[in-house]
Amino acid sequence: MSEHELTPADLQHTAENPQANDQNGTLSSEKGEQPTPTAEPTAETPQQLEENAQVLAESPQVSAESPQVSAESPQVSTDDSAEAPADETVYFEDLALSEDVLDALWDMRFEKCTPVQARCIPHLLEGKDLIGIAQTGTGKTAAYLLPMLSVLRDQPHPHDAVNCLIMSPTRELAQQIDQALQGFAYYTRTNSVAVYGGNDGIRFEQERKAFAQGADIIVATPGRLISHLQLGNLDLSRTTHIILDEADRMLDMGFFDDIMTIIKQLPAERQTVLFSATMPPEIAKMAREVMRDPVEIKIAVSKPAEKIDQSIYICRDNDKTPILKHIFSEGKPERVIVFISSKQRVKELNVILKRRGFNCAAMHSDLEQSERDEVMLGFKQRKIDILIATDIVSRGIDIDDIQMVINYDAPRDPEDYVHRIGRTARAGRAGRAITLIGEKDRLSLNKIERLLETKIPRNPLPEGCKAPEPADDKARGRGQHSGKSNRRDNKGQKSNGKNNRRQSNSGGERGKSTHSSATGATSNEKSAGSPASKRRGRQPRAPRKDNPQTEA
């Protein structure tokens, strides 16, 4: 392989690839395809690239497990012929990649494969369908981009058609994939276009023209691609490769129908690749419907970095905001990400903290693309101290110096916990991860601790916050049942009281006082003898003394 020395202009292209950063490169052993901040990355000097390469070479490899076959996907094959042992170092030069791709890797100072790359690239070069199960941060982006670029470079493909379609769940991830693609494809002359929403009409028209001229690779989010298909701007009838990245996240976001609609536009003879951090039943179902004898590669879920100081607060849901203010009162918050499960609560907490004088900003799916760009750029440039976000950022941020991650809500999926707190303690730095466990988060805590195989240290509650009541599902169930019973008895009392008043009114003014004074007793007698009370076998609740139903 020839050695290419890049000019400053060339370095601009290669440095735009986020994989050149310390712990964010998809080619480093711990590096992942986290979606890049929406800001344009700055070019790095050759000295910085060499320092980054040294960090990449010293980082430990992620341990790998042998391929496993999903119980729900009996057609998945386990061809191990092209796979390297987990403890064997594999170099990119050992793989049958295109010379142009290898030259780009050499210029970017990438030499060794991560386990997912070493085991997936040979199968993809052979044109096989593949399911890759590996968490974010293991190098999945390069695992499919490198073989796709090599196949498009060395094998004949039509120049006026879309040859490869890459689907991602978020705009940030689509941007990162496109930036990584620019670096890897520097010498291949492969053209690509990123397609995602939140842009103006000019950008939409540029995308349409790119489709008409023929793009080798399209990186797109499902919603925006569906819009182009409905308008007839895009023809996928000759697309021979499709890659679904972060497939589990796309299904969580409700894109299953959109994905199936897009796949129906593709020819039957194609290569389908699916990468996911988890393997829920929906993924297995999709694999059975759209893939042909796929090879499954499964990489073990790695534990969080040892330098992450993990702790939790067991609290009431209403005390989460006071505890958050207590944490920030211990020291000026800087480089902090607060994860919340819903975008509505993100907006509410952002308003509360801003009123308290904190320098914070919200990041959620309701923002326009320009607003997302502004927030991410401000946070990256240290103009924003606290980023309050949904899980859209857990797999979509490319910043190394995050000091603290706070889970305002515990994630439902324990793997998402690893993704969230993995934003801190990167590049050998230390970091803190604090999780607030309310009454609704206890089940999630059990799953997280089972995954980590350890008990997370508990923090004492600050002054003014009360400990939650012990979780006793049976007792809570009896209390709810009793409350419902009392409400029904009171309803019966009110109903009977109304009937008695109607009777007293119909009897004229002379009998009004007599009937009215007996209203309370009549109501209690009817309530006590009602079918509802007999079924429950308990005495009805005594009427309130100030109950208007018992007064004339």
Side-chain angles (χ1 to χ4, degrees):
M1 177 178 63
S2 61
E3 299 181 10
H4 293 268
E5 295 297 329
L6 296 181
T7 64
D10 296 335
L11 287 173
Q12 173 67 28
H13 290 275
T14 57
E16 286 179 356
N17 173 22
Q19 283 75 4
N21 293 332
D22 287 348
Q23 287 233 354
N24 296 292
T26 56
L27 295 176
S28 63
S29 52
E30 286 186 345
K31 318 306 179 271
E33 58 282 4
Q34 310 303 327
T36 9
T38 53
E40 287 295 331
T42 57
E44 299 183 4
T45 64
Q47 182 179 2
Q48 290 174 326
L49 286 175
E50 292 179 1
E51 293 175 355
N52 292 339
Q54 182 177 3
V55 174
L56 297 176
E58 295 175 354
S59 57
Q61 294 284 348
V62 180
S63 61
E65 294 179 350
S66 58
Q68 298 179 359
V69 181
S70 170
E72 296 189 37
S73 303
Q75 73 277 23
V76 174
S77 62
T78 56
D79 182 7
D80 300 334
S81 58
E83 296 178 3
D87 57 350
E88 180 181 340
T89 300
V90 178
Y91 293 87
F92 289 109
E93 289 187 342
D94 299 333
L95 305 176
L97 295 172
S98 168
E99 286 296 323
D100 291 335
V101 173
L102 291 174
D103 288 346
L105 293 174
W106 176 262
D107 289 336
M108 298 166 68
R109 306 297 190 268
F110 292 135
E111 298 180 359
K112 299 179 182 179
C113 301
T114 65
V116 68
Q117 294 161 3
R119 298 168 63 181
C120 290
I121 290 176
H123 293 296
L124 295 180
L125 289 173
E126 295 174 2
K128 296 180 180 179
D129 287 4
L130 182 140
I131 301 174
I133 307 299
Q135 72 179 80
T136 299
T138 54
K140 292 184 292 184
T141 301
Y144 61 76
L145 282 183
L146 298 179
M148 284 299 107
L149 288 171
S150 298
V151 169
L152 295 177
R153 179 67 179 86
D154 296 340
Q155 299 179 11
H157 285 80
H159 298 288
D160 58 345
V162 176
N163 295 309
C164 179
L165 174 63
I166 302 175
M167 305 293 299
S168 73
T170 64
R171 307 169 193 173
E172 286 72 25
L173 182 54
Q175 288 176 329
Q176 183 213 346
I177 296 172
D178 184 53
Q179 291 173 357
L181 184 59
Q182 293 176 22
F184 297 145
Y186 187 72
Y187 296 110
T188 64
R189 299 180 180 177
T190 302
N191 58 73
S192 63
V193 58
V195 179
Y196 49 84
N199 299 303
D200 53 20
I202 298 177
R203 171 72 182 182
F204 193 88
E205 180 63 19
Q206 291 174 346
E207 295 170 355
R208 187 193 65 78
K209 291 181 179 179
F211 299 154
Q213 295 173 359
D216 292 320
I217 300 177
I218 290 179
V219 184
T221 54
R224 185 61 166 244
L225 197 68
I226 287 288
S227 299
H228 282 290
L229 288 173
Q230 292 175 343
L231 293 174
N233 297 336
L234 181 61
D235 178 18
L236 299 178
S237 62
R238 293 187 290 170
T239 303
T240 53
H241 308 275
I242 180 171
I243 300 169
L244 306 177
D245 197 4
E246 301 287 2
D248 55 343
R249 179 65 64 195
M250 282 194 280
L251 296 187
D252 289 342
M253 297 172 68
F255 286 135
F256 179 82
D257 292 338
D258 289 344
I259 293 173
M260 298 306 295
T261 300
I262 293 169
I263 290 178
K264 290 178 181 178
Q265 305 293 321
L266 274 65
E269 294 296 326
R270 65 176 185 272
Q271 182 182 24
T272 305
V273 181
L274 186 151
F275 279 92
S276 177
T278 59
M279 188 66 173
E282 294 81 1
I283 297 293
K285 176 184 176 182
M286 178 185 294
R288 290 194 299 269
E289 294 181 5
V290 305
M291 307 182 81
R292 298 175 301 174
D293 300 326
V295 177
E296 181 176 334
I297 303 297
K298 187 172 184 180
I299 305 297
V301 177
S302 62
K303 301 299 186 291
E306 294 182 358
K307 291 189 176 182
I308 300 179
D309 180 17
Q310 302 180 59
S311 62
I312 62 174
Y313 285 93
I314 305 294
C315 61
R316 298 173 183 264
D317 288 329
N318 294 335
D319 288 336
K320 287 187 175 183
T321 301
I323 292 175
L324 193 63
K325 297 175 183 176
H326 168 75
I327 295 171
F328 293 157
S329 68
E330 296 176 343
K332 185 178 183 299
E334 294 179 350
R335 319 302 287 156
V336 178
I337 302 180
V338 180
F339 285 108
I340 304 183
S341 298
S342 68
K343 56 188 176 183
Q344 182 60 37
R345 299 183 70 183
V346 167
K347 300 174 185 177
E348 294 171 355
L349 183 62
N350 183 47
V351 172
I352 293 173
L353 293 183
K354 279 189 173 180
R355 289 176 178 173
R356 290 282 182 172
F358 293 105
N359 179 20
C360 59
M363 182 69 175
H364 50 80
S365 59
D366 281 350
L367 296 178
E368 297 292 336
Q369 186 61 42
S370 59
E371 295 173 316
R372 288 190 184 189
D373 294 345
E374 182 179 357
V375 170
M376 294 305 301
L377 180 60
F379 187 64
K380 186 174 183 180
Q381 295 179 344
R382 294 177 175 268
K383 296 179 181 179
I384 298 172
D385 295 327
I386 305 170
L387 182 65
I388 308 170
T390 58
D391 276 321
I392 192 175
V393 177
S394 66
R395 308 188 192 188
I397 190 170
D398 186 22
I399 302 176
D400 287 341
D401 57 349
I402 303 300
Q403 298 180 6
M404 182 187 299
V405 171
I406 299 176
N407 293 310
Y408 192 88
D409 298 323
R412 294 176 299 174
D413 196 338
E415 284 83 2
D416 287 338
Y417 174 82
V418 178
H419 294 152
R420 286 183 178 185
I421 70 173
R423 302 307 96 214
T424 187
R426 301 171 73 109
R429 300 180 176 89
R432 293 180 64 190
I434 301 175
T435 304
L436 309 183
I437 303 297
E439 292 92 343
K440 300 177 182 179
D441 301 322
R442 293 176 182 176
L443 179 60
S444 297
L445 174 62
N446 294 335
K447 295 180 180 179
I448 292 170
E449 292 184 330
R450 282 199 300 268
L451 175 66
L452 301 181
E453 298 179 350
T454 185
K455 186 174 183 179
I456 304 176
R458 271 65 170 167
N459 293 323
L461 292 174
E463 185 178 355
C465 297
K466 297 181 180 180
E469 297 179 359
D472 189 349
D473 295 337
K474 294 183 179 180
R476 184 161 59 250
R478 288 195 298 269
Q480 293 174 352
H481 183 77
S482 176
K484 186 182 294 185
S485 169
N486 292 334
R487 287 195 300 271
R488 290 178 178 175
D489 290 341
N490 289 338
K491 183 177 180 181
Q493 292 178 11
K494 293 180 181 179
S495 176
N496 291 329
K498 291 179 181 179
N499 291 335
N500 290 331
R501 283 202 304 275
R502 290 170 183 168
Q503 292 176 2
S504 63
N505 289 335
S506 63
E509 291 294 328
R510 288 184 59 187
K512 181 176 181 180
S513 60
T514 304
H515 288 289
S516 300
S517 61
T519 300
T522 305
S523 174
N524 288 338
E525 290 172 1
K526 290 187 177 182
S527 178
S530 65
S533 295
K534 290 180 180 179
R535 284 195 302 269
R536 289 170 179 78
R538 58 167 61 93
Q539 293 295 327
R541 205 170 80 180
R544 290 168 42 193
K545 293 182 179 180
D546 59 346
N547 192 339
Q549 303 292 345
T550 62
E551 298 178 0

